[in-house]
């Protein structure tokens, strides 16, 4: 059922056939705040394992919903012509290179998420403190927030 519902909301299909959907269309299919602490993910590790693997800074962002200082990420000014931006926790592809756009906010920005037949939507969205948190749907890692209505791109969303 989820695949059929998602198929109605694709905004972009890449030349290689990879489908990319906008997160606004996927919110009802993503994890809910009540399910966030109980949902299982394909990649699951103990907090001790995550800490050892990620190190202090990545662990704080990915597992404790921390925020990097603005303009501190090497990805903020990186604009590759092809490929994917992947989750720092598990390597799952999240955004295509062509979904990244320039913004003055200080963090890397994207406007479309990766969707695949085998993995569904690769990014989940859930309400969080008056905003919408985005997470990796493979490991549950915190990716930041999504903002709607800023008119930064034709999709009218910023991750």
């Amino acid at each position: 059922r989820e695949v059929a519902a998602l198929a109605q909301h694709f905004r972009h299909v890449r030349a290689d056939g990879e489908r990319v959907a906008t997160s606004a269309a996927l919110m009802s299919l993503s994890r809910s705040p009540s399910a966030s602490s109980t949902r299982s993910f394909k990649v699951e590790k103990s907090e001790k394992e995550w800490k050892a693997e990620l190190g202090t800074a990545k662990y704080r962002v990915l597992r404790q919903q921390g925020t990097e200082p603005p303009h501190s990420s090497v990805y903020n000014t990186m604009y590759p012509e092809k490929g994917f931006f992947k989750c720092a926790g598990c390597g799952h592809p999240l955004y295509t290179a062509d979904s990244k756009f320039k913004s003055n906010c200080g963090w890397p920005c994207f406007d479309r998420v990766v969707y695949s037949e085998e993995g569904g939507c690769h990014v989940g969205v859930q309400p969080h403190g008056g905003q919408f948190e985005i997470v990796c749907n493979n490991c549950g890692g915190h990716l930041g927030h999504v903002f709607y209505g800023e008119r930064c791109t034709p999709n009218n969303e910023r991750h």
Side-chain angles (χ1 to χ4, degrees):
R1 283 187 311 152
E2 287 187 13
V3 172
L6 288 169
Q8 297 174 5
H9 300 289
F10 293 124
R11 296 262 181 117
H12 181 72
V13 177
R14 293 172 43 89
D16 62 5
E18 183 71 26
R19 289 184 259 179
V20 182
T22 63
S23 61
L26 304 169
M27 285 182 58
S28 65
L29 300 174
S30 298
R31 63 186 204 170
S32 68
S34 59
S36 65
S37 61
T38 59
R39 177 172 171 206
S40 62
F41 294 93
K42 195 174 194 176
V43 175
E44 296 217 9
K45 300 178 184 183
S46 69
E47 290 307 303
K48 184 177 180 179
E49 290 172 310
W50 280 120
K51 284 180 186 178
E53 185 177 312
L54 297 173
T56 305
K58 285 183 183 177
Y59 178 81
R60 188 179 68 73
V61 172
L62 289 168
R63 309 312 302 175
Q64 297 180 316
Q65 299 176 321
T67 303
E68 297 174 316
H71 306 286
S72 66
S73 173
V74 297
Y75 301 108
N76 193 39
T77 57
M78 181 186 293
Y79 295 94
E81 293 184 22
K82 59 184 178 177
F84 295 91
F85 287 88
K86 298 178 179 182
C87 176
C90 69
H92 199 53
L94 304 169
Y95 301 100
T96 58
D98 65 349
S99 71
K100 188 164 189 303
F101 65 93
K102 292 182 182 181
S103 173
N104 293 325
C105 69
W107 291 277
C109 292
F110 306 88
D111 70 344
R112 291 179 310 278
V113 300
V114 172
Y115 169 86
S116 64
E117 288 293 329
E118 64 280 352
C121 183
H122 292 208
V123 177
V125 181
Q126 69 178 21
H128 178 254
Q131 298 176 331
F132 294 100
E133 177 191 17
I134 48 178
V135 297
C136 173
N137 269 340
N138 196 50
C139 72
H142 172 77
L143 304 173
H145 293 86
V146 62
F147 303 91
Y148 302 100
E150 295 180 331
R151 299 186 183 122
C152 296
T153 70
N155 290 345
N156 208 15
E157 62 185 73
R158 173 175 60 90
H159 297 222

